[in-house]
Amino acid sequence: MHLYLPIAGNTVNVLLLVGLGGLVGFLSGLFGVGGGFLMTPLLMMMGIPATVAAASDSNQIVAASASGCYAHFRARTIDIRMGLLMLVGGLIGGTVGVRIIRVLRHLGEADFVITVVYVLMLGGIGSYMFVESLTALRGRRSVRASARPSIYRRTVEALPFKVPFPRSRVTISALMPLLLGTLVGVLAAIMGVGGGFIMVPIMIYLLRMPMHVVVGTSLFQILFTCINVTILQSYMNHTVDFVLALVLLLGSVVGAQIGVRVGKKLKADQLKILMAIVVLSVMGKMLLGLLLRPDFLVAYKGGH
Amino acid sequence: MRRLALAAIGLAVFAVFARPAVSQSGPPAGLIVAAPEHVEITLFYGGANIEVAAQVPAGYEVAVRLMARPERLELKRLGKKAGVLWMGVGDASFENIPVVYQVLTSAPLVDLGPQPERARWKLGYDALVPDTAPGASLRAELVGLKEHEGLFAVRESALQRGNPRDASKIPLLSNATAGDLGSPPASDASVLMRGSFHLPARVPAGDYALDLIGFKDHRAVHLASAALHVEQVGVVRTVRELALDHGLFYGIGACLVAIVAGLVTGRLFRSKSDGAH
């Protein structure tokens, strides 16, 4: 069964789209990521223009993250205080990131920088999560916990404006989520994605938040970021395909709920290692795309 | 059946009563008909086949060209960066490239006529992007990309010769016009050529020109032309107009629908879960 997408200007298989939405929604509910880093390339492979794929995906993520947020809100696994601070940082970082992109485009090096940052970030985060979770699953806990605090930890503890975050069971400076949110915002703007897959490891490893709160808080932040992106893209670039988003969200809202349920049955380290495998798979696919000669040596402009 | 009968009568009347437009004593003109002449892009549109039939003066080889209005095309050039990574390394600009370009011929392109004559009517990819044109070095890459999308096609010897009486089976294009040579030929002095174009799902809405070009004695002549109209209708048109003309409200509406869908599904799942316990 085929459906014509008015803004994308192409026809797609409805069942394939619903399935794709379901898969990405499942990952969203399971790991607390938006799934844009996975969905956008898959939509492009189906013949959707890059700009329309990225913008419509944001619209779909609004549904999936609202569905996931609702489940996490009921389960009291959203740290709203932490999420709001990171959201403010993310908005500031996003603005800075857009300016950096403009400078890089002017220098003619934007594509190169974006791609290399993307692969390095995915590879670095995925490898670290994989090794760390594997070590934990084998029962060999990291010895660093008992060793002398690292420079990072001492710096964090020295920062002013300490605030308790009861839901996350941490007391840290309010500057931390603000600064890390800004960093994620910069990277997300440069890479053209929501940033959930960077945000989740940052919450786990740098803010030391418990895994079950990380997922809900990340979805909370993603919900607001994607509402902002959808409205801006609709208003400024006219690239949101509502028909495409609607079909995707049919699958993703159900997938997100299933993901949340499955996530509850898994241990934190099992979740982390699965997330690491997904991140490393995407990195591997991107790396192959960079190393293998493309079918044609010209491509349409738009997107990264 | 009624439509076909009317088309047959229309074609016969046109062939008998139309008078030469250019010269009374010149050779007869051709006529090109196609079906459908109006393609509607609905929510379930998945591409369209356009059947064409051309009435061609005896002794001519022909090409039928379907083409959109030529325009400037800006693409990204891909190359190796740092010696190993394939990515965008610059721009590639092409002039006068139609978004859709398809050609059917009755014989191999090189046998139709000399290259300058073919180039004059933009028949063949080397005529579309001449060696001296900007981006000529990337002609094969452009053609490969467009053929992969189904927007470009050159199908040599794809026009089949048929009986002129079969022309009645094709509805007459209301705006088909005789070409440079004047009136359409009498059926006993002409040959019927038939073929089909395939418009892919990604074809943009707009007007497309169908041209019948004949070759005889190393000379190309324009025999006839017609227009093909592709239009978005219904929900497709409404959504597109909303997105383009009321972007802000469209964006807010899209978010509201997404939030409601997410919350309703969340609530449904919770109810189901509560019921299970």
Short mmCIF file of all heavy atoms in Angstrom, two decimals, chain A residues 2-4 6-7 9-11 59 63 67 70 74 109 112 234 238 240 242 249 253 257 261 290 292 296-301, chain B residues 41-43 45 76 78 81 86-87 91 141 144 146 149 201-202 232 240 243 247 250-251 254 258 262 265-267 269-270 273:
data_model
loop_
_atom_site.label_atom_id
_atom_site.label_comp_id
_atom_site.label_asym_id
_atom_site.label_seq_id
_atom_site.Cartn_x
_atom_site.Cartn_y
_atom_site.Cartn_z
N HIS A 2 0.67 2.09 -1.01
CA HIS A 2 1.53 3.26 -1.16
C HIS A 2 0.81 4.55 -0.77
O HIS A 2 -0.41 4.65 -0.87
CB HIS A 2 2.02 3.36 -2.60
CG HIS A 2 3.08 2.35 -2.90
ND1 HIS A 2 2.78 1.06 -3.29
CD2 HIS A 2 4.42 2.42 -2.84
CE1 HIS A 2 3.90 0.40 -3.45
NE2 HIS A 2 4.91 1.19 -3.19
N LEU A 3 1.59 5.51 -0.34
CA LEU A 3 1.05 6.79 0.05
C LEU A 3 1.94 7.90 -0.50
O LEU A 3 3.17 7.81 -0.41
CB LEU A 3 1.01 6.88 1.59
CG LEU A 3 0.10 7.93 2.20
CD1 LEU A 3 -1.36 7.64 1.87
CD2 LEU A 3 0.28 7.94 3.71
N TYR A 4 1.31 8.94 -1.08
CA TYR A 4 2.08 10.06 -1.61
C TYR A 4 2.28 11.11 -0.53
O TYR A 4 1.34 11.47 0.18
CB TYR A 4 1.34 10.67 -2.81
CG TYR A 4 2.10 11.79 -3.46
CD1 TYR A 4 3.11 11.52 -4.38
CD2 TYR A 4 1.83 13.11 -3.15
CE1 TYR A 4 3.84 12.54 -4.97
CE2 TYR A 4 2.54 14.15 -3.75
CZ TYR A 4 3.54 13.85 -4.65
OH TYR A 4 4.25 14.85 -5.23
N PRO A 6 2.99 14.86 0.43
CA PRO A 6 2.86 16.15 -0.27
C PRO A 6 4.11 17.03 -0.25
O PRO A 6 4.39 17.70 -1.23
CB PRO A 6 1.71 16.86 0.49
CG PRO A 6 1.00 15.79 1.22
CD PRO A 6 1.99 14.71 1.50
N ILE A 7 4.83 17.05 0.86
CA ILE A 7 6.01 17.93 0.94
C ILE A 7 7.26 17.22 0.43
O ILE A 7 8.08 17.81 -0.26
CB ILE A 7 6.23 18.42 2.39
CG1 ILE A 7 4.94 19.04 2.96
CG2 ILE A 7 7.38 19.42 2.47
CD1 ILE A 7 4.42 20.26 2.24
N GLY A 9 7.21 14.98 -1.79
CA GLY A 9 7.03 14.83 -3.24
C GLY A 9 7.41 13.45 -3.73
O GLY A 9 7.94 13.30 -4.83
N ASN A 10 7.15 12.44 -2.94
CA ASN A 10 7.48 11.08 -3.34
C ASN A 10 6.49 10.11 -2.69
O ASN A 10 5.76 10.48 -1.77
CB ASN A 10 8.91 10.75 -2.92
CG ASN A 10 9.51 9.66 -3.78
OD1 ASN A 10 8.83 9.06 -4.60
ND2 ASN A 10 10.80 9.41 -3.60
N THR A 11 6.50 8.88 -3.18
CA THR A 11 5.59 7.86 -2.66
C THR A 11 6.37 6.85 -1.82
O THR A 11 7.49 6.50 -2.16
CB THR A 11 4.92 7.14 -3.85
OG1 THR A 11 4.09 8.08 -4.52
CG2 THR A 11 4.07 5.98 -3.40
N ASN A 59 8.90 16.17 14.05
CA ASN A 59 7.47 16.17 14.33
C ASN A 59 7.03 14.82 14.91
O ASN A 59 6.28 14.74 15.88
CB ASN A 59 6.71 16.47 13.03
CG ASN A 59 5.23 16.71 13.25
OD1 ASN A 59 4.46 16.77 12.32
ND2 ASN A 59 4.80 16.88 14.49
N ALA A 63 5.61 13.17 19.10
CA ALA A 63 4.60 12.18 19.51
C ALA A 63 5.23 11.08 20.36
O ALA A 63 4.71 10.74 21.43
CB ALA A 63 3.94 11.58 18.27
N SER A 67 4.52 10.44 24.31
CA SER A 67 4.02 9.14 24.77
C SER A 67 4.94 8.56 25.84
O SER A 67 4.48 8.12 26.91
CB SER A 67 3.94 8.19 23.56
OG SER A 67 3.60 6.90 23.95
N TYR A 70 4.81 10.63 29.12
CA TYR A 70 3.61 10.36 29.91
C TYR A 70 3.84 9.13 30.79
O TYR A 70 3.55 9.14 32.00
CB TYR A 70 2.42 10.14 28.97
CG TYR A 70 1.13 9.86 29.69
CD1 TYR A 70 0.40 10.90 30.27
CD2 TYR A 70 0.65 8.57 29.81
CE1 TYR A 70 -0.78 10.64 30.94
CE2 TYR A 70 -0.53 8.30 30.49
CZ TYR A 70 -1.25 9.34 31.05
OH TYR A 70 -2.41 9.09 31.73
N ARG A 74 4.15 9.21 34.95
CA ARG A 74 3.35 8.37 35.83
C ARG A 74 4.24 7.54 36.75
O ARG A 74 3.90 7.30 37.90
CB ARG A 74 2.48 7.40 35.01
CG ARG A 74 1.54 8.05 34.03
CD ARG A 74 0.32 8.66 34.63
NE ARG A 74 -0.33 7.82 35.63
CZ ARG A 74 -1.38 8.21 36.35
NH1 ARG A 74 -1.88 9.43 36.19
NH2 ARG A 74 -1.94 7.41 37.22
N GLU A 109 34.24 24.06 4.83
CA GLU A 109 34.66 22.83 5.49
C GLU A 109 33.54 22.21 6.33
O GLU A 109 33.80 21.31 7.13
CB GLU A 109 35.87 23.10 6.40
CG GLU A 109 37.13 23.54 5.67
CD GLU A 109 37.70 22.42 4.78
OE1 GLU A 109 37.42 21.25 5.07
OE2 GLU A 109 38.38 22.74 3.81
N PHE A 112 32.88 18.31 6.01
CA PHE A 112 33.98 17.51 6.55
C PHE A 112 33.94 17.49 8.08
O PHE A 112 33.98 16.43 8.71
CB PHE A 112 35.31 18.09 6.06
CG PHE A 112 36.51 17.29 6.51
CD1 PHE A 112 36.76 16.04 5.97
CD2 PHE A 112 37.38 17.79 7.46
CE1 PHE A 112 37.86 15.30 6.38
CE2 PHE A 112 38.47 17.06 7.89
CZ PHE A 112 38.72 15.81 7.33
N SER A 234 8.73 24.41 10.13
CA SER A 234 7.49 24.65 9.39
C SER A 234 7.41 26.11 8.95
O SER A 234 7.01 26.41 7.83
CB SER A 234 6.26 24.36 10.26
OG SER A 234 6.25 23.04 10.64
N HIS A 238 9.51 25.35 5.57
CA HIS A 238 8.37 24.60 5.00
C HIS A 238 8.75 23.16 4.66
O HIS A 238 8.39 22.65 3.59
CB HIS A 238 7.83 25.30 3.74
CG HIS A 238 7.63 26.77 3.91
ND1 HIS A 238 6.63 27.30 4.70
CD2 HIS A 238 8.32 27.82 3.42
CE1 HIS A 238 6.71 28.62 4.67
NE2 HIS A 238 7.73 28.97 3.91
N VAL A 240 8.35 20.42 6.87
CA VAL A 240 7.70 19.38 7.68
C VAL A 240 6.59 18.74 6.85
O VAL A 240 5.67 19.42 6.41
CB VAL A 240 7.10 19.97 8.98
CG1 VAL A 240 6.29 18.93 9.73
CG2 VAL A 240 8.22 20.51 9.86
N PHE A 242 3.59 16.63 7.09
CA PHE A 242 2.68 16.16 8.15
C PHE A 242 2.19 14.74 7.87
O PHE A 242 2.03 13.94 8.80
CB PHE A 242 1.51 17.13 8.29
CG PHE A 242 0.56 16.74 9.37
CD1 PHE A 242 0.98 16.67 10.70
CD2 PHE A 242 -0.75 16.40 9.08
CE1 PHE A 242 0.11 16.29 11.70
CE2 PHE A 242 -1.63 16.03 10.09
CZ PHE A 242 -1.20 15.97 11.40
N LEU A 249 4.32 8.42 13.26
CA LEU A 249 3.94 8.47 14.68
C LEU A 249 2.93 7.39 15.04
O LEU A 249 2.85 6.98 16.19
CB LEU A 249 3.49 9.87 15.10
CG LEU A 249 2.15 10.44 14.67
CD1 LEU A 249 1.03 9.96 15.57
CD2 LEU A 249 2.22 11.96 14.75
N VAL A 253 4.40 5.89 18.55
CA VAL A 253 3.78 6.05 19.87
C VAL A 253 3.55 4.67 20.53
O VAL A 253 3.71 4.53 21.74
CB VAL A 253 2.46 6.85 19.81
CG1 VAL A 253 2.72 8.31 19.56
CG2 VAL A 253 1.51 6.30 18.77
N GLN A 257 5.78 3.01 23.92
CA GLN A 257 5.19 2.40 25.11
C GLN A 257 5.77 1.01 25.36
O GLN A 257 6.08 0.64 26.50
CB GLN A 257 3.66 2.29 24.92
CG GLN A 257 2.95 3.62 24.95
CD GLN A 257 2.99 4.28 26.32
OE1 GLN A 257 3.02 3.61 27.34
NE2 GLN A 257 3.03 5.60 26.34
N ARG A 261 8.15 -0.35 28.64
CA ARG A 261 7.86 -1.58 29.39
C ARG A 261 9.05 -2.54 29.37
O ARG A 261 9.41 -3.12 30.40
CB ARG A 261 6.65 -2.28 28.77
CG ARG A 261 5.37 -1.83 29.39
CD ARG A 261 4.26 -1.81 28.36
NE ARG A 261 3.30 -0.79 28.73
CZ ARG A 261 2.25 -1.00 29.51
NH1 ARG A 261 2.02 -2.19 29.97
NH2 ARG A 261 1.44 -0.02 29.82
N LEU A 290 31.20 6.55 4.21
CA LEU A 290 32.29 7.49 3.94
C LEU A 290 33.44 6.83 3.20
O LEU A 290 34.15 7.46 2.43
CB LEU A 290 32.82 8.05 5.26
CG LEU A 290 31.93 9.05 5.99
CD1 LEU A 290 32.49 9.36 7.36
CD2 LEU A 290 31.79 10.32 5.19
N LEU A 292 33.25 3.87 1.27
CA LEU A 292 32.92 3.26 -0.03
C LEU A 292 32.56 4.35 -1.05
O LEU A 292 31.90 5.34 -0.69
CB LEU A 292 31.75 2.29 0.12
CG LEU A 292 31.97 1.11 1.07
CD1 LEU A 292 30.70 0.27 1.18
CD2 LEU A 292 33.13 0.24 0.59
N PHE A 296 26.97 7.69 -7.38
CA PHE A 296 27.10 8.85 -8.27
C PHE A 296 27.94 9.92 -7.58
O PHE A 296 27.81 10.11 -6.37
CB PHE A 296 25.72 9.42 -8.63
CG PHE A 296 24.75 8.36 -9.03
CD1 PHE A 296 23.67 8.05 -8.21
CD2 PHE A 296 24.92 7.65 -10.21
CE1 PHE A 296 22.78 7.04 -8.55
CE2 PHE A 296 24.02 6.66 -10.56
CZ PHE A 296 22.96 6.34 -9.74
N LEU A 297 28.76 10.62 -8.34
CA LEU A 297 29.64 11.62 -7.74
C LEU A 297 29.00 13.00 -7.65
O LEU A 297 29.69 14.01 -7.48
CB LEU A 297 30.97 11.69 -8.50
CG LEU A 297 31.80 10.41 -8.42
CD1 LEU A 297 33.12 10.56 -9.13
CD2 LEU A 297 32.02 9.99 -6.98
N VAL A 298 27.67 13.04 -7.80
CA VAL A 298 26.92 14.27 -7.52
C VAL A 298 25.73 13.90 -6.63
O VAL A 298 25.26 12.76 -6.66
CB VAL A 298 26.40 14.98 -8.80
CG1 VAL A 298 27.53 15.61 -9.58
CG2 VAL A 298 25.61 14.01 -9.67
N ALA A 299 25.29 14.86 -5.83
CA ALA A 299 24.14 14.61 -4.95
C ALA A 299 23.38 15.91 -4.78
O ALA A 299 23.93 17.00 -5.00
CB ALA A 299 24.61 14.08 -3.60
N TYR A 300 22.11 15.78 -4.37
CA TYR A 300 21.32 16.99 -4.14
C TYR A 300 21.82 17.70 -2.89
O TYR A 300 22.29 17.06 -1.95
CB TYR A 300 19.84 16.65 -3.98
CG TYR A 300 19.23 16.19 -5.27
CD1 TYR A 300 18.99 14.83 -5.50
CD2 TYR A 300 18.92 17.09 -6.27
CE1 TYR A 300 18.44 14.41 -6.70
CE2 TYR A 300 18.38 16.67 -7.47
CZ TYR A 300 18.14 15.33 -7.68
OH TYR A 300 17.62 14.90 -8.87
N LYS A 301 21.71 19.01 -2.90
CA LYS A 301 22.12 19.78 -1.73
C LYS A 301 21.04 19.69 -0.66
O LYS A 301 19.90 19.35 -0.94
CB LYS A 301 22.33 21.24 -2.10
CG LYS A 301 23.56 21.47 -2.94
CD LYS A 301 23.74 22.93 -3.19
CE LYS A 301 25.06 23.19 -3.89
NZ LYS A 301 25.27 24.62 -4.13
N ILE B 41 -2.11 14.01 -9.04
CA ILE B 41 -1.36 13.44 -7.92
C ILE B 41 -2.26 13.45 -6.70
O ILE B 41 -2.55 14.49 -6.13
CB ILE B 41 -0.06 14.22 -7.66
CG1 ILE B 41 0.86 14.14 -8.88
CG2 ILE B 41 0.65 13.69 -6.42
CD1 ILE B 41 2.18 14.88 -8.73
N THR B 42 -2.75 12.27 -6.35
CA THR B 42 -3.61 12.13 -5.17
C THR B 42 -2.79 11.50 -4.03
O THR B 42 -1.60 11.23 -4.21
CB THR B 42 -4.80 11.20 -5.48
OG1 THR B 42 -4.25 9.91 -5.79
CG2 THR B 42 -5.61 11.70 -6.65
N LEU B 43 -3.43 11.25 -2.89
CA LEU B 43 -2.73 10.68 -1.74
C LEU B 43 -2.22 9.27 -2.05
O LEU B 43 -1.28 8.79 -1.42
CB LEU B 43 -3.69 10.64 -0.55
CG LEU B 43 -3.09 10.70 0.85
CD1 LEU B 43 -2.13 11.85 1.00
CD2 LEU B 43 -4.18 10.80 1.89
N TYR B 45 -1.20 8.25 -5.18
CA TYR B 45 -0.47 8.28 -6.45
C TYR B 45 0.87 7.55 -6.30
O TYR B 45 1.59 7.76 -5.33
CB TYR B 45 -0.24 9.75 -6.85
CG TYR B 45 0.65 9.95 -8.05
CD1 TYR B 45 0.17 9.73 -9.33
CD2 TYR B 45 1.97 10.37 -7.90
CE1 TYR B 45 0.98 9.93 -10.44
CE2 TYR B 45 2.79 10.58 -8.99
CZ TYR B 45 2.29 10.35 -10.26
OH TYR B 45 3.10 10.54 -11.35
N LYS B 76 25.62 18.98 -5.40
CA LYS B 76 26.83 18.89 -4.57
C LYS B 76 27.76 17.89 -5.26
O LYS B 76 27.32 16.82 -5.67
CB LYS B 76 26.40 18.37 -3.19
CG LYS B 76 27.44 18.34 -2.14
CD LYS B 76 26.81 18.19 -0.77
CE LYS B 76 26.12 16.86 -0.57
NZ LYS B 76 25.62 16.65 0.79
N LEU B 78 30.69 15.22 -5.14
CA LEU B 78 31.28 14.34 -4.13
C LEU B 78 32.69 13.94 -4.55
O LEU B 78 32.97 13.73 -5.73
CB LEU B 78 30.42 13.08 -3.95
CG LEU B 78 28.95 13.31 -3.59
CD1 LEU B 78 28.20 11.99 -3.50
CD2 LEU B 78 28.83 14.06 -2.27
N LYS B 81 38.04 13.29 0.56
CA LYS B 81 38.63 14.28 1.45
C LYS B 81 39.64 13.54 2.33
O LYS B 81 39.36 12.42 2.79
CB LYS B 81 37.53 14.91 2.32
CG LYS B 81 37.90 16.23 2.86
CD LYS B 81 37.18 17.34 2.12
CE LYS B 81 37.63 18.68 2.65
NZ LYS B 81 36.83 19.77 2.19
N TRP B 86 34.75 9.83 1.42
CA TRP B 86 33.93 10.35 0.32
C TRP B 86 32.90 11.31 0.89
O TRP B 86 32.09 10.92 1.72
CB TRP B 86 33.22 9.21 -0.39
CG TRP B 86 34.13 8.39 -1.24
CD1 TRP B 86 34.75 7.23 -0.89
CD2 TRP B 86 34.54 8.67 -2.58
NE1 TRP B 86 35.51 6.76 -1.92
CE2 TRP B 86 35.40 7.62 -2.99
CE3 TRP B 86 34.26 9.70 -3.49
CZ2 TRP B 86 35.98 7.58 -4.24
CZ3 TRP B 86 34.84 9.64 -4.75
CH2 TRP B 86 35.69 8.60 -5.11
N MET B 87 32.91 12.53 0.45
CA MET B 87 31.92 13.52 0.92
C MET B 87 31.85 14.72 -0.03
O MET B 87 32.57 14.75 -1.04
CB MET B 87 32.27 13.97 2.33
CG MET B 87 33.65 14.54 2.48
SD MET B 87 33.95 15.07 4.15
CE MET B 87 33.75 13.56 5.04
N ASP B 91 30.61 22.47 -5.35
CA ASP B 91 29.33 22.58 -6.05
C ASP B 91 29.48 22.10 -7.50
O ASP B 91 30.57 22.16 -8.07
CB ASP B 91 28.84 24.03 -6.06
CG ASP B 91 28.53 24.52 -4.65
OD1 ASP B 91 28.24 23.65 -3.79
OD2 ASP B 91 28.59 25.73 -4.41
N GLU B 141 27.50 11.43 -14.29
CA GLU B 141 27.06 11.33 -12.89
C GLU B 141 25.65 11.89 -12.75
O GLU B 141 24.80 11.32 -12.07
CB GLU B 141 28.03 12.09 -11.97
CG GLU B 141 29.48 11.69 -12.10
CD GLU B 141 29.72 10.23 -11.76
OE1 GLU B 141 28.95 9.68 -10.94
OE2 GLU B 141 30.65 9.64 -12.33
N GLY B 144 23.23 9.49 -14.39
CA GLY B 144 23.08 8.31 -13.54
C GLY B 144 22.14 8.58 -12.38
O GLY B 144 21.24 7.78 -12.10
N LYS B 146 19.79 10.94 -12.16
CA LYS B 146 18.43 11.20 -12.63
C LYS B 146 17.77 9.92 -13.17
O LYS B 146 16.56 9.73 -13.01
CB LYS B 146 18.45 12.26 -13.74
CG LYS B 146 18.80 13.66 -13.23
CD LYS B 146 17.58 14.26 -12.57
CE LYS B 146 17.71 15.75 -12.39
NZ LYS B 146 16.48 16.33 -11.84
N GLU B 149 16.51 7.89 -10.35
CA GLU B 149 15.25 8.41 -9.81
C GLU B 149 14.08 8.19 -10.77
O GLU B 149 12.93 8.47 -10.42
CB GLU B 149 15.37 9.91 -9.55
CG GLU B 149 16.38 10.25 -8.47
CD GLU B 149 16.53 11.75 -8.32
OE1 GLU B 149 16.44 12.48 -9.33
OE2 GLU B 149 16.75 12.20 -7.19
N ALA B 201 6.88 8.39 -9.15
CA ALA B 201 6.09 9.05 -8.11
C ALA B 201 6.66 10.42 -7.76
O ALA B 201 5.93 11.33 -7.38
CB ALA B 201 6.07 8.17 -6.86
N ARG B 202 7.97 10.59 -7.91
CA ARG B 202 8.58 11.85 -7.49
C ARG B 202 8.49 12.95 -8.55
O ARG B 202 9.11 14.00 -8.41
CB ARG B 202 10.04 11.64 -7.08
CG ARG B 202 10.95 11.27 -8.21
CD ARG B 202 12.39 11.25 -7.74
NE ARG B 202 12.68 10.11 -6.89
CZ ARG B 202 13.43 10.17 -5.80
NH1 ARG B 202 13.98 11.28 -5.43
NH2 ARG B 202 13.67 9.07 -5.10
N GLN B 232 -1.27 18.43 -8.46
CA GLN B 232 -1.61 17.86 -7.16
C GLN B 232 -3.06 18.23 -6.84
O GLN B 232 -3.47 19.37 -7.05
CB GLN B 232 -0.69 18.42 -6.08
CG GLN B 232 0.76 17.96 -6.27
CD GLN B 232 1.69 18.52 -5.24
OE1 GLN B 232 1.47 19.60 -4.73
NE2 GLN B 232 2.74 17.78 -4.94
N ARG B 240 -0.16 20.75 1.16
CA ARG B 240 0.95 21.53 0.58
C ARG B 240 0.68 23.05 0.70
O ARG B 240 1.57 23.82 1.05
CB ARG B 240 1.15 21.12 -0.88
CG ARG B 240 2.48 21.59 -1.42
CD ARG B 240 2.85 20.97 -2.72
NE ARG B 240 4.08 21.60 -3.19
CZ ARG B 240 5.28 21.26 -2.80
NH1 ARG B 240 5.45 20.27 -1.96
NH2 ARG B 240 6.34 21.89 -3.25
N ALA B 243 1.13 24.12 4.31
CA ALA B 243 2.55 24.15 4.70
C ALA B 243 3.26 25.36 4.12
O ALA B 243 4.10 25.97 4.78
CB ALA B 243 3.23 22.86 4.24
N GLY B 247 2.74 28.48 7.35
CA GLY B 247 3.77 27.64 7.97
C GLY B 247 3.70 27.59 9.49
O GLY B 247 3.84 26.52 10.08
N TYR B 250 0.59 25.71 10.66
CA TYR B 250 0.80 24.32 10.23
C TYR B 250 1.73 23.61 11.22
O TYR B 250 1.46 22.49 11.66
CB TYR B 250 1.40 24.35 8.83
CG TYR B 250 1.81 23.02 8.24
CD1 TYR B 250 0.89 22.20 7.58
CD2 TYR B 250 3.14 22.59 8.29
CE1 TYR B 250 1.27 21.00 7.02
CE2 TYR B 250 3.53 21.39 7.73
CZ TYR B 250 2.59 20.60 7.09
OH TYR B 250 2.99 19.41 6.53
N GLY B 251 2.82 24.29 11.61
CA GLY B 251 3.79 23.71 12.55
C GLY B 251 3.18 23.49 13.92
O GLY B 251 3.36 22.43 14.53
N ALA B 254 0.73 20.64 13.70
CA ALA B 254 1.43 19.35 13.60
C ALA B 254 1.91 18.90 14.99
O ALA B 254 1.82 17.72 15.33
CB ALA B 254 2.60 19.47 12.64
N ALA B 258 0.62 15.66 17.24
CA ALA B 258 1.62 14.70 17.71
C ALA B 258 1.51 14.51 19.23
O ALA B 258 1.56 13.38 19.73
CB ALA B 258 3.02 15.16 17.33
N GLY B 262 0.44 11.12 21.14
CA GLY B 262 1.34 10.51 22.13
C GLY B 262 0.65 10.31 23.46
O GLY B 262 0.76 9.23 24.07
N THR B 265 -2.16 7.59 23.28
CA THR B 265 -1.58 6.24 23.26
C THR B 265 -1.04 5.88 24.64
O THR B 265 -1.23 4.75 25.12
CB THR B 265 -0.43 6.16 22.24
OG1 THR B 265 -0.82 6.87 21.09
CG2 THR B 265 -0.10 4.74 21.89
N GLY B 266 -0.39 6.85 25.30
CA GLY B 266 0.14 6.60 26.64
C GLY B 266 -0.99 6.22 27.59
O GLY B 266 -0.86 5.29 28.39
N ARG B 267 -2.11 6.93 27.49
CA ARG B 267 -3.24 6.66 28.38
C ARG B 267 -3.87 5.30 28.06
O ARG B 267 -4.22 4.55 28.97
CB ARG B 267 -4.27 7.78 28.19
CG ARG B 267 -5.27 7.85 29.31
CD ARG B 267 -5.93 9.20 29.43
NE ARG B 267 -6.88 9.17 30.53
CZ ARG B 267 -6.57 9.34 31.81
NH1 ARG B 267 -5.31 9.55 32.14
NH2 ARG B 267 -7.49 9.28 32.75
N PHE B 269 -2.40 2.71 26.82
CA PHE B 269 -1.51 1.66 27.31
C PHE B 269 -1.62 1.52 28.83
O PHE B 269 -1.55 0.45 29.37
CB PHE B 269 -0.07 1.96 26.90
CG PHE B 269 0.31 1.29 25.62
CD1 PHE B 269 -0.20 1.72 24.41
CD2 PHE B 269 1.17 0.19 25.60
CE1 PHE B 269 0.12 1.11 23.22
CE2 PHE B 269 1.50 -0.44 24.41
CZ PHE B 269 0.99 0.02 23.22
N ARG B 270 -1.78 2.68 29.49
CA ARG B 270 -1.89 2.64 30.96
C ARG B 270 -3.17 1.92 31.37
O ARG B 270 -3.18 1.07 32.25
CB ARG B 270 -1.89 4.05 31.53
CG ARG B 270 -1.73 4.08 33.05
CD ARG B 270 -1.57 5.50 33.52
NE ARG B 270 -2.83 6.24 33.46
CZ ARG B 270 -3.71 6.30 34.45
NH1 ARG B 270 -3.49 5.66 35.57
NH2 ARG B 270 -4.82 6.99 34.33
N SER B 273 -2.79 -1.64 30.91
CA SER B 273 -1.92 -2.18 31.94
C SER B 273 -2.67 -2.29 33.27
O SER B 273 -2.58 -3.28 33.97
CB SER B 273 -0.70 -1.26 32.09
OG SER B 273 -0.04 -1.52 33.27
#
